[in-house]
Amino acid sequence: MNSLVSKIIDAHGGLERWRQFSLLKARLVQGGALWTLKGHPETLAETTVTVNLLKEWASHSPFGPEAKISTFEPGRVALNDAQGKIIEELRDPRSSFAGHTLETSWSELQLAYFAGIAMWTYLNMPFLLAHEGVVVEELPDWSEKGETWHRLKVTFPTDIATHSTVQTIYFGDDGLLKRHDYDVEIAGNTPGAHYIDGYIDVQGIKIPTSRRIFPRQPDGQPMAEPLVVSIDLHDIKLS
């Protein structure tokens, strides 16, 4: 494993400790301009998210006012009722975003897909860096907020459904993540700068509780507004 990857993973609790768990569950509070832009201002404003740590799978419950439950996997997304009955599903969901721009509205199933890839990626980072097929490349350091952050270019294999194939993570001297850049391919390759803060210790794993995502300019600098997405996590549990 790359020495910088090892440093980052160790700073977050270490791979050995992480691999003792298979699920992460948390209460999720979200805001920002994206949800209204996509036609779902309140659907996932407050919910519970569960992600699998062994395979790519995620769920949000409740999903909207009718208390549906979403299930996401790379090749399928579905909405179930409270009893587990399938209400609707979509196979090969990523292909349904063809031709989308940032302003294109989403169906509920498309929202469930985006929420699935996003939260699964976020909550499995930085341990995803140890996933087979993930390639990392060191980039020049970056100065921001009066600090110097180290950077890694991360290239994901085709078997991982995430925002974009190539992403960039920023981390401090302590190995903790500070920022995470990507282009949202399913929303017209919209560039985002995603800030990570509020670390707490959960059962020996360092997990951030606050995430704020802003537009990213061509020079890599973030725009101060709009706030695209805000994410706050509470009651985090590993099992």
Side-chain angles (χ1 to χ4, degrees):
M1 192 188 302
N2 178 290
S3 61
L4 286 176
V5 170
S6 295
K7 176 179 178 175
I8 295 166
I9 286 177
D10 288 347
H12 288 80
L15 205 54
E16 183 178 354
R17 180 64 177 160
W18 178 252
R19 285 177 171 166
Q20 294 177 14
F21 306 106
S22 58
L23 291 174
L24 187 156
K25 186 174 184 177
R27 185 163 59 87
L28 173 63
V29 179
Q30 297 188 110
L34 180 72
W35 314 111
T36 298
L37 190 64
K38 293 298 187 180
H40 302 277
E42 297 295 332
T43 304
L44 294 176
E46 187 160 352
T47 184
T48 294
V49 61
T50 305
V51 300
N52 195 298
L53 311 180
L54 305 177
K55 63 179 181 178
E56 190 163 5
W57 179 95
S59 176
H60 288 78
S61 174
F63 188 99
E66 297 172 7
K68 300 173 187 175
I69 301 168
S70 70
T71 55
F72 152 79
E73 299 170 281
R76 174 184 178 270
V77 66
L79 293 173
N80 294 22
D81 64 19
Q83 287 71 48
K85 180 181 178 182
I86 297 174
I87 300 169
E88 55 179 338
E89 67 177 347
L90 180 62
R91 301 277 178 174
D92 187 21
R94 201 172 187 97
S95 67
S96 73
F97 295 91
H100 275 219
T101 68
L102 178 60
E103 292 78 23
T104 309
S105 61
W106 285 337
S107 68
E108 284 197 331
L109 285 170
Q110 288 173 325
L111 172 65
Y113 177 83
F114 171 77
I117 65 166
M119 294 310 299
W120 184 83
T121 299
Y122 302 158
L123 295 176
N124 275 279
M125 269 294 201
F127 301 97
L128 272 182
L129 299 175
H131 189 284
E132 185 178 354
V134 171
V135 177
V136 300
E137 177 186 338
E138 193 171 354
L139 296 174
D141 287 348
W142 176 267
S143 295
E144 187 168 342
K145 301 182 179 180
E147 300 176 1
T148 298
W149 296 344
H150 313 293
R151 296 189 298 165
L152 289 178
K153 173 184 172 183
V154 183
T155 303
F156 288 94
T158 56
D159 66 322
I160 293 180
T162 182
H163 301 81
S164 54
T165 300
V166 177
Q167 303 180 24
T168 302
I169 59 168
Y170 302 61
F171 57 99
D173 288 335
D174 60 1
L176 295 180
L177 300 184
K178 300 286 190 177
R179 176 175 156 179
H180 180 187
D181 289 356
Y182 41 74
D183 301 324
V184 185
E185 292 173 350
I186 61 175
N189 287 306
T190 302
H194 172 146
Y195 289 87
I196 300 163
D197 206 354
Y199 273 92
I200 61 171
D201 187 292
V202 180
Q203 295 160 254
I205 300 293
K206 292 281 180 59
I207 298 177
T209 59
S210 172
R211 296 172 178 271
R212 299 292 184 267
I213 304 166
F214 297 92
R216 191 181 78 251
Q217 301 178 86
D219 64 358
Q221 297 293 337
M223 294 174 63
E225 56 182 32
L227 173 60
V228 180
V229 173
S230 66
I231 296 170
D232 292 287
L233 296 173
H234 309 271
D235 308 326
I236 304 169
K237 295 181 178 65
L238 290 160
S239 61

Coordinates of all heavy atoms in Angstrom, one line a residue, residues 23-106:
L23 N -21.3 -2.5 8.7 CA -22.3 -1.5 8.4 C -22.0 -0.2 9.2 O -21.5 -0.3 10.3 CB -23.7 -2.0 8.8 CG -24.4 -3.1 8.0 CD1 -25.7 -3.5 8.7 CD2 -24.6 -2.7 6.6
L24 N -22.3 0.9 8.6 CA -22.3 2.2 9.3 C -23.7 2.8 9.1 O -24.3 2.9 8.0 CB -21.3 3.1 8.7 CG -21.0 4.5 9.4 CD1 -19.6 5.0 9.1 CD2 -22.0 5.5 9.1
K25 N -24.2 3.3 10.3 CA -25.6 3.8 10.3 C -25.6 5.2 11.0 O -24.9 5.3 12.0 CB -26.6 2.9 11.0 CG -28.0 3.3 11.0 CD -28.9 2.2 11.6 CE -30.3 2.5 11.5 NZ -31.2 1.4 12.0
A26 N -26.3 6.2 10.5 CA -26.3 7.5 11.1 C -27.5 8.3 10.8 O -28.2 8.0 9.7 CB -25.0 8.3 10.6
R27 N -27.9 9.2 11.7 CA -29.0 10.1 11.4 C -28.4 11.2 10.5 O -27.3 11.8 10.8 CB -29.5 10.7 12.7 CG -30.8 11.6 12.4 CD -31.5 11.8 13.7 NE -30.7 12.4 14.8 CZ -30.6 13.7 15.0 NH1 -31.1 14.5 14.1 NH2 -29.9 14.1 16.0
L28 N -29.1 11.5 9.4 CA -28.5 12.4 8.4 C -29.4 13.6 8.2 O -30.6 13.5 8.1 CB -28.5 11.6 7.1 CG -28.1 12.4 5.8 CD1 -26.7 12.9 5.9 CD2 -28.3 11.4 4.6
V29 N -28.8 14.8 8.3 CA -29.6 16.1 8.1 C -28.9 16.8 6.9 O -27.7 17.0 7.0 CB -29.5 17.0 9.4 CG1 -30.3 18.3 9.1 CG2 -30.2 16.3 10.5
Q30 N -29.7 17.1 5.9 CA -29.1 17.7 4.7 C -29.8 19.0 4.3 O -31.0 19.2 4.5 CB -29.2 16.7 3.5 CG -28.4 15.4 3.8 CD -28.3 14.5 2.5 OE1 -27.3 14.4 1.9 NE2 -29.5 13.9 2.2
G31 N -29.0 19.9 3.7 CA -29.6 21.1 3.1 C -28.8 21.5 1.9 O -28.0 20.7 1.3
G32 N -28.9 22.7 1.4 CA -28.2 23.2 0.3 C -29.1 23.3 -1.0 O -30.2 22.8 -1.0
A33 N -28.6 24.0 -2.0 CA -29.4 24.3 -3.2 C -29.7 23.1 -4.1 O -30.7 23.2 -4.8 CB -28.6 25.4 -4.0
L34 N -28.9 22.1 -4.0 CA -29.0 21.0 -5.0 C -30.4 20.3 -4.9 O -31.0 20.0 -6.0 CB -28.0 19.9 -4.7 CG -28.1 18.7 -5.6 CD1 -27.6 19.0 -7.0 CD2 -27.2 17.5 -5.1
W35 N -30.9 20.1 -3.7 CA -32.2 19.3 -3.6 C -33.4 20.0 -4.2 O -34.2 19.4 -4.9 CB -32.4 19.0 -2.1 CG -31.2 18.5 -1.4 CD1 -30.4 19.2 -0.5 CD2 -30.5 17.3 -1.7 NE1 -29.3 18.5 -0.1 CE2 -29.3 17.3 -0.8 CE3 -30.7 16.2 -2.5 CZ2 -28.4 16.2 -0.8 CZ3 -29.8 15.2 -2.5 CH2 -28.7 15.2 -1.7
T36 N -33.5 21.3 -4.0 CA -34.5 22.1 -4.7 C -34.3 22.1 -6.2 O -35.3 22.0 -7.0 CB -34.6 23.5 -4.1 OG1 -34.9 23.4 -2.7 CG2 -35.7 24.3 -4.8
L37 N -33.1 22.3 -6.6 CA -32.8 22.3 -8.0 C -33.2 21.1 -8.7 O -33.7 21.1 -9.9 CB -31.3 22.6 -8.2 CG -30.7 22.9 -9.6 CD1 -31.3 24.2 -10.1 CD2 -29.2 22.9 -9.6
K38 N -33.1 19.9 -8.0 CA -33.4 18.6 -8.6 C -34.9 18.2 -8.4 O -35.3 17.1 -8.8 CB -32.5 17.6 -8.0 CG -31.0 17.7 -8.5 CD -30.9 17.6 -10.0 CE -29.4 17.6 -10.5 NZ -29.3 17.5 -12.0
G39 N -35.6 19.1 -7.7 CA -37.0 18.8 -7.5 C -37.4 18.1 -6.3 O -38.6 17.6 -6.2
H40 N -36.5 18.0 -5.3 CA -36.8 17.2 -4.1 C -36.3 18.0 -2.9 O -35.3 17.5 -2.2 CB -36.1 15.8 -4.2 CG -36.6 15.0 -5.4 ND1 -37.7 14.3 -5.4 CD2 -36.0 14.9 -6.6 CE1 -37.9 13.7 -6.6 NE2 -36.8 14.0 -7.3
P41 N -36.9 19.1 -2.6 CA -36.3 20.0 -1.5 C -36.3 19.3 -0.1 O -35.5 19.7 0.7 CB -37.2 21.2 -1.6 CG -38.4 20.8 -2.2 CD -38.0 19.7 -3.2
E42 N -37.3 18.4 0.2 CA -37.4 17.9 1.5 C -37.3 16.4 1.7 O -37.2 15.9 2.8 CB -38.8 18.3 2.1 CG -38.9 19.8 2.3 CD -38.0 20.5 3.3 OE1 -37.6 19.8 4.2 OE2 -37.6 21.6 3.1
T43 N -37.2 15.7 0.5 CA -37.2 14.2 0.6 C -36.2 13.6 1.5 O -36.5 12.7 2.3 CB -37.0 13.7 -0.8 OG1 -38.0 14.2 -1.7 CG2 -37.2 12.1 -0.8
L44 N -35.0 14.2 1.5 CA -33.9 13.6 2.3 C -33.3 14.7 3.2 O -32.2 14.6 3.6 CB -32.8 13.1 1.4 CG -33.1 11.8 0.6 CD1 -32.0 11.4 -0.4 CD2 -33.5 10.7 1.4
A45 N -34.2 15.6 3.6 CA -33.7 16.7 4.5 C -33.4 16.1 5.9 O -32.4 16.6 6.5 CB -34.8 17.7 4.7
E46 N -34.1 15.1 6.3 CA -33.7 14.4 7.6 C -34.1 13.0 7.5 O -35.3 12.7 7.3 CB -34.4 15.1 8.8 CG -33.9 14.6 10.1 CD -34.2 15.5 11.3 OE1 -34.6 16.6 11.1 OE2 -34.0 15.0 12.4
T47 N -33.2 12.1 7.6 CA -33.4 10.7 7.4 C -32.3 9.9 8.1 O -31.5 10.5 8.8 CB -33.4 10.4 5.9 OG1 -33.8 9.0 5.7 CG2 -32.1 10.7 5.3
T48 N -32.4 8.6 8.0 CA -31.3 7.7 8.5 C -30.6 7.1 7.3 O -31.3 6.5 6.4 CB -31.8 6.7 9.4 OG1 -32.3 7.3 10.6 CG2 -30.8 5.7 9.8
V49 N -29.3 7.1 7.2 CA -28.6 6.5 6.1 C -27.8 5.3 6.7 O -27.3 5.3 7.8 CB -27.6 7.5 5.5 CG1 -26.6 8.0 6.4 CG2 -26.9 6.8 4.3
T50 N -27.8 4.2 5.9 CA -27.0 3.0 6.3 C -26.2 2.7 5.0 O -26.7 2.6 3.9 CB -27.9 1.8 6.6 OG1 -28.8 2.2 7.7 CG2 -27.1 0.6 7.1
V51 N -24.9 2.4 5.3 CA -24.1 2.0 4.2 C -23.3 0.7 4.5 O -23.0 0.5 5.7 CB -23.0 3.1 3.7 CG1 -23.7 4.3 3.3 CG2 -22.0 3.4 4.8
N52 N -23.1 -0.1 3.6 CA -22.4 -1.4 3.8 C -20.9 -1.1 3.6 O -20.5 -0.3 2.7 CB -22.8 -2.4 2.7 CG -22.4 -3.8 3.1 OD1 -21.2 -4.1 3.1 ND2 -23.4 -4.7 3.3
L53 N -20.1 -1.7 4.4 CA -18.6 -1.4 4.4 C -17.9 -2.5 3.7 O -16.7 -2.4 3.5 CB -18.1 -1.3 5.8 CG -18.9 -0.3 6.7 CD1 -18.2 -0.2 8.1 CD2 -19.0 1.1 6.1
L54 N -18.6 -3.6 3.2 CA -18.0 -4.7 2.6 C -18.3 -4.8 1.1 O -17.6 -5.4 0.3 CB -18.4 -6.0 3.2 CG -18.2 -6.1 4.8 CD1 -18.8 -7.4 5.3 CD2 -16.7 -6.0 5.1
K55 N -19.4 -4.2 0.7 CA -19.8 -4.1 -0.7 C -20.5 -2.8 -0.9 O -20.9 -2.1 0.0 CB -20.7 -5.3 -1.1 CG -22.1 -5.3 -0.3 CD -22.9 -6.5 -0.7 CE -24.3 -6.4 0.0 NZ -25.2 -7.5 -0.4
E56 N -20.8 -2.4 -2.2 CA -21.4 -1.1 -2.5 C -22.9 -1.3 -2.4 O -23.6 -1.8 -3.3 CB -21.0 -0.6 -3.9 CG -21.4 0.8 -4.1 CD -20.7 1.5 -5.2 OE1 -19.9 0.9 -5.9 OE2 -20.9 2.7 -5.4
W57 N -23.4 -0.8 -1.3 CA -24.8 -0.8 -1.0 C -25.1 0.3 0.0 O -24.3 0.6 0.9 CB -25.2 -2.2 -0.4 CG -26.6 -2.4 0.0 CD1 -27.6 -2.9 -0.7 CD2 -27.3 -2.0 1.3 NE1 -28.8 -2.9 0.0 CE2 -28.6 -2.3 1.2 CE3 -26.8 -1.3 2.4 CZ2 -29.5 -2.1 2.2 CZ3 -27.7 -1.1 3.5 CH2 -29.0 -1.5 3.4
A58 N -26.3 0.9 -0.2 CA -26.7 2.0 0.8 C -28.2 2.1 0.8 O -28.9 1.6 -0.1 CB -26.1 3.3 0.4
S59 N -28.7 2.6 1.9 CA -30.2 2.8 2.1 C -30.5 4.1 2.8 O -29.7 4.4 3.8 CB -30.7 1.6 2.8 OG -32.1 1.7 3.1
H60 N -31.6 4.7 2.5 CA -32.1 5.9 3.2 C -33.5 5.6 3.7 O -34.3 5.1 2.9 CB -32.1 7.1 2.3 CG -30.8 7.7 2.0 ND1 -29.9 7.2 1.1 CD2 -30.1 8.8 2.6 CE1 -28.8 7.9 1.0 NE2 -28.9 8.9 1.9
S61 N -33.7 5.8 5.0 CA -35.1 5.6 5.5 C -35.4 6.6 6.7 O -34.5 6.7 7.6 CB -35.1 4.1 6.1 OG -36.3 3.9 6.8
P62 N -36.4 7.3 6.6 CA -37.5 7.3 5.5 C -37.0 8.1 4.3 O -36.1 9.0 4.4 CB -38.6 8.1 6.2 CG -38.0 9.0 7.1 CD -36.8 8.3 7.7
F63 N -37.5 7.7 3.2 CA -37.2 8.3 1.9 C -38.5 9.1 1.5 O -39.4 8.5 0.9 CB -36.8 7.3 0.8 CG -36.4 7.9 -0.5 CD1 -35.0 8.0 -0.7 CD2 -37.2 8.4 -1.4 CE1 -34.5 8.5 -1.9 CE2 -36.8 8.9 -2.6 CZ -35.4 9.0 -2.9
G64 N -38.6 10.3 2.0 CA -39.8 11.1 1.7 C -40.9 11.0 2.7 O -40.8 10.1 3.6
P65 N -41.9 11.8 2.6 CA -43.0 11.8 3.6 C -43.8 10.5 3.7 O -44.5 10.3 4.7 CB -43.9 13.0 3.1 CG -43.6 13.1 1.6 CD -42.2 12.7 1.5
E66 N -43.8 9.7 2.6 CA -44.5 8.4 2.7 C -43.7 7.3 3.3 O -44.1 6.2 3.3 CB -44.9 8.0 1.3 CG -45.9 9.0 0.6 CD -46.1 8.7 -0.9 OE1 -45.7 7.6 -1.3 OE2 -46.8 9.5 -1.5
A67 N -42.6 7.7 3.9 CA -41.7 6.8 4.7 C -41.3 5.6 3.8 O -41.2 4.4 4.3 CB -42.4 6.3 5.9
K68 N -41.0 5.8 2.6 CA -40.4 4.8 1.7 C -39.0 4.5 2.2 O -38.4 5.2 3.0 CB -40.4 5.2 0.3 CG -41.7 5.5 -0.3 CD -41.6 6.1 -1.7 CE -42.9 6.6 -2.3 NZ -42.8 7.2 -3.6
I69 N -38.4 3.4 1.7 CA -37.1 3.0 2.0 C -36.3 2.8 0.7 O -36.8 2.0 -0.1 CB -37.0 1.7 2.9 CG1 -37.8 2.0 4.2 CG2 -35.6 1.3 3.2 CD1 -38.1 0.7 5.0
S70 N -35.2 3.4 0.6 CA -34.4 3.2 -0.7 C -33.4 2.2 -0.5 O -32.9 2.0 0.6 CB -33.8 4.5 -1.1 OG -32.7 4.9 -0.2
T71 N -33.1 1.4 -1.6 CA -31.9 0.5 -1.6 C -31.1 0.8 -2.8 O -31.7 0.9 -3.9 CB -32.3 -0.9 -1.5 OG1 -33.2 -1.2 -2.6 CG2 -33.0 -1.3 -0.2
F72 N -29.8 1.0 -2.7 CA -29.0 1.3 -3.8 C -27.9 0.3 -3.9 O -27.2 -0.1 -2.9 CB -28.3 2.7 -3.6 CG -27.0 2.8 -4.3 CD1 -26.9 3.0 -5.6 CD2 -25.8 2.7 -3.5 CE1 -25.7 3.1 -6.3 CE2 -24.6 2.7 -4.2 CZ -24.5 3.0 -5.5
E73 N -27.6 -0.2 -5.2 CA -26.5 -0.9 -5.6 C -26.1 -0.4 -6.9 O -26.9 0.3 -7.6 CB -26.8 -2.4 -5.7 CG -27.2 -3.1 -4.4 CD -27.7 -4.5 -4.6 OE1 -28.9 -4.6 -5.0 OE2 -26.9 -5.4 -4.3
P74 N -24.8 -0.5 -7.4 CA -24.5 0.1 -8.7 C -25.4 -0.3 -9.8 O -25.7 0.6 -10.7 CB -23.0 -0.5 -8.9 CG -22.5 -0.7 -7.5 CD -23.7 -1.2 -6.7
G75 N -25.9 -1.5 -9.9 CA -26.7 -1.9 -11.0 C -28.2 -1.8 -10.8 O -29.0 -2.2 -11.7
R76 N -28.6 -1.4 -9.6 CA -30.0 -1.4 -9.3 C -30.3 -0.4 -8.2 O -29.6 -0.4 -7.2 CB -30.5 -2.8 -8.9 CG -32.0 -2.8 -8.5 CD -32.3 -4.3 -8.0 NE -33.7 -4.4 -7.6 CZ -34.1 -4.2 -6.3 NH1 -33.1 -3.9 -5.4 NH2 -35.3 -4.3 -5.9
V77 N -31.4 0.3 -8.3 CA -31.9 1.1 -7.2 C -33.4 0.9 -7.1 O -34.1 0.7 -8.1 CB -31.6 2.6 -7.4 CG1 -32.3 3.2 -8.6 CG2 -31.8 3.5 -6.2
A78 N -33.9 0.9 -5.9 CA -35.3 0.6 -5.6 C -35.9 1.4 -4.5 O -35.1 1.8 -3.6 CB -35.5 -0.9 -5.4
L79 N -37.2 1.5 -4.5 CA -37.9 2.1 -3.4 C -38.9 1.1 -2.9 O -39.7 0.5 -3.7 CB -38.7 3.4 -3.8 CG -37.8 4.6 -4.2 CD1 -38.6 5.7 -4.7 CD2 -37.0 5.0 -2.9
N80 N -38.9 0.8 -1.6 CA -39.8 -0.1 -0.9 C -40.7 0.6 0.0 O -40.4 1.7 0.5 CB -39.0 -1.2 -0.2 CG -38.1 -2.0 -1.0 OD1 -37.8 -1.7 -2.2 ND2 -37.7 -3.2 -0.6
D81 N -41.8 -0.1 0.4 CA -42.6 0.5 1.4 C -42.1 0.0 2.8 O -41.1 -0.7 2.8 CB -44.1 0.1 1.2 CG -44.4 -1.4 1.3 OD1 -43.6 -2.1 1.8 OD2 -45.5 -1.8 0.8
A82 N -42.8 0.4 3.9 CA -42.3 0.1 5.2 C -42.3 -1.4 5.5 O -41.6 -1.9 6.4 CB -43.1 0.8 6.2
Q83 N -43.1 -2.2 4.7 CA -43.1 -3.6 4.9 C -42.1 -4.3 4.0 O -42.0 -5.6 4.0 CB -44.5 -4.1 4.6 CG -45.6 -3.8 5.7 CD -45.9 -2.3 5.7 OE1 -46.2 -1.7 4.7 NE2 -45.9 -1.7 6.9
G84 N -41.4 -3.6 3.2 CA -40.4 -4.2 2.4 C -40.8 -4.5 1.0 O -40.0 -5.0 0.1
K85 N -42.1 -4.2 0.6 CA -42.6 -4.5 -0.7 C -42.0 -3.5 -1.7 O -42.0 -2.3 -1.4 CB -44.1 -4.4 -0.7 CG -44.7 -4.7 -2.1 CD -46.3 -4.6 -2.0 CE -46.9 -4.8 -3.4 NZ -48.4 -4.6 -3.4
I86 N -41.6 -3.9 -2.8 CA -41.0 -3.1 -3.8 C -42.1 -2.2 -4.5 O -43.1 -2.7 -5.0 CB -40.3 -3.9 -4.9 CG1 -39.1 -4.6 -4.3 CG2 -39.8 -2.9 -6.1 CD1 -38.4 -5.6 -5.3
I87 N -41.9 -0.9 -4.4 CA -42.8 0.0 -5.0 C -42.4 0.3 -6.5 O -43.2 0.2 -7.4 CB -42.9 1.4 -4.3 CG1 -43.3 1.1 -2.8 CG2 -43.8 2.4 -5.0 CD1 -43.1 2.3 -1.9
E88 N -41.1 0.6 -6.7 CA -40.6 0.7 -8.0 C -39.1 0.5 -8.0 O -38.5 0.6 -6.9 CB -40.9 2.1 -8.6 CG -40.4 3.3 -7.7 CD -40.7 4.6 -8.4 OE1 -40.9 4.7 -9.6 OE2 -40.8 5.6 -7.6
E89 N -38.5 0.1 -9.1 CA -37.1 -0.1 -9.2 C -36.6 0.3 -10.5 O -37.3 0.4 -11.5 CB -36.7 -1.6 -8.9 CG -37.2 -2.6 -9.9 CD -36.8 -4.0 -9.7 OE1 -36.0 -4.2 -8.8 OE2 -37.4 -4.9 -10.3
L90 N -35.3 0.5 -10.6 CA -34.6 0.9 -11.9 C -33.3 0.1 -12.0 O -32.4 0.2 -11.1 CB -34.3 2.4 -11.8 CG -33.6 3.0 -13.1 CD1 -34.5 2.8 -14.3 CD2 -33.3 4.5 -12.8
R91 N -33.2 -0.6 -13.1 CA -32.0 -1.4 -13.4 C -31.1 -0.5 -14.2 O -31.5 0.4 -15.0 CB -32.3 -2.7 -14.2 CG -33.3 -3.6 -13.4 CD -32.5 -4.5 -12.4 NE -33.5 -5.3 -11.7 CZ -33.1 -6.3 -10.9 NH1 -31.8 -6.5 -10.7 NH2 -33.9 -7.0 -10.2
D92 N -29.8 -0.7 -14.1 CA -28.8 0.1 -14.8 C -29.1 1.6 -14.6 O -29.2 2.3 -15.6 CB -28.8 -0.3 -16.3 CG -27.6 0.4 -17.1 OD1 -26.6 0.8 -16.4 OD2 -27.7 0.6 -18.3
P93 N -29.2 2.0 -13.4 CA -29.7 3.4 -13.1 C -28.8 4.5 -13.7 O -29.3 5.6 -14.1 CB -29.7 3.5 -11.6 CG -28.8 2.4 -11.1 CD -28.9 1.3 -12.1
R94 N -27.5 4.3 -13.8 CA -26.6 5.4 -14.3 C -26.9 5.8 -15.7 O -26.8 7.0 -16.1 CB -25.2 5.0 -14.1 CG -24.2 6.2 -14.1 CD -22.8 5.8 -13.7 NE -21.9 6.9 -13.5 CZ -21.6 7.4 -12.3 NH1 -22.1 6.9 -11.2 NH2 -20.8 8.4 -12.2
S95 N -27.4 4.8 -16.5 CA -27.7 5.2 -17.9 C -28.8 6.1 -18.0 O -29.0 6.8 -19.0 CB -27.9 3.9 -18.7 OG -29.1 3.3 -18.3
S96 N -29.7 6.2 -17.0 CA -30.9 7.1 -17.0 C -30.5 8.5 -17.0 O -31.4 9.4 -17.2 CB -31.8 6.7 -15.9 OG -31.4 7.1 -14.6
F97 N -29.2 8.8 -16.6 CA -28.8 10.2 -16.5 C -28.2 10.8 -17.8 O -27.7 11.9 -17.8 CB -27.8 10.4 -15.3 CG -28.3 10.1 -14.0 CD1 -28.3 8.8 -13.5 CD2 -28.9 11.1 -13.2 CE1 -28.8 8.5 -12.2 CE2 -29.4 10.8 -11.9 CZ -29.3 9.5 -11.4
A98 N -28.2 10.0 -18.8 CA -27.6 10.5 -20.1 C -28.2 11.8 -20.5 O -29.4 12.0 -20.6 CB -27.8 9.4 -21.2
G99 N -27.3 12.7 -20.9 CA -27.8 14.0 -21.3 C -28.1 15.0 -20.2 O -28.5 16.2 -20.5
H100 N -28.0 14.6 -19.0 CA -28.4 15.5 -17.9 C -27.4 16.6 -17.7 O -26.2 16.5 -17.9 CB -28.5 14.7 -16.5 CG -29.8 14.0 -16.3 ND1 -30.3 13.9 -15.1 CD2 -30.6 13.4 -17.2 CE1 -31.5 13.2 -15.2 NE2 -31.6 12.9 -16.4
T101 N -27.9 17.8 -17.3 CA -27.1 18.9 -16.8 C -27.4 19.1 -15.3 O -28.2 18.4 -14.7 CB -27.5 20.2 -17.6 OG1 -28.8 20.6 -17.2 CG2 -27.4 20.0 -19.1
L102 N -26.7 20.1 -14.8 CA -27.0 20.4 -13.4 C -28.4 20.8 -13.1 O -28.9 20.5 -12.0 CB -26.1 21.6 -12.9 CG -26.2 22.1 -11.5 CD1 -25.9 20.9 -10.5 CD2 -25.3 23.3 -11.2
E103 N -29.1 21.4 -14.1 CA -30.5 21.8 -13.9 C -31.5 20.8 -14.1 O -32.7 21.0 -13.8 CB -30.7 23.1 -14.8 CG -30.0 24.3 -14.4 CD -28.5 24.3 -14.8 OE1 -28.2 23.5 -15.8 OE2 -27.7 25.0 -14.2
T104 N -31.1 19.6 -14.7 CA -32.1 18.6 -15.0 C -32.7 18.0 -13.7 O -32.0 17.6 -12.8 CB -31.5 17.5 -15.8 OG1 -30.8 18.0 -16.9 CG2 -32.5 16.5 -16.3
S105 N -34.0 17.9 -13.6 CA -34.7 17.4 -12.4 C -34.5 15.9 -12.4 O -34.2 15.2 -13.4 CB -36.1 17.8 -12.4 OG -36.8 17.2 -13.5
W106 N -34.6 15.3 -11.2 CA -34.4 13.9 -11.0 C -35.8 13.2 -10.6 O -36.6 13.8 -9.9 CB -33.4 13.6 -9.9 CG -32.0 13.8 -10.2 CD1 -31.4 13.8 -11.5 CD2 -30.9 14.0 -9.3 NE1 -30.1 14.0 -11.4 CE2 -29.7 14.2 -10.1 CE3 -30.8 14.2 -7.9 CZ2 -28.5 14.4 -9.5 CZ3 -29.6 14.4 -7.3 CH2 -28.4 14.5 -8.1

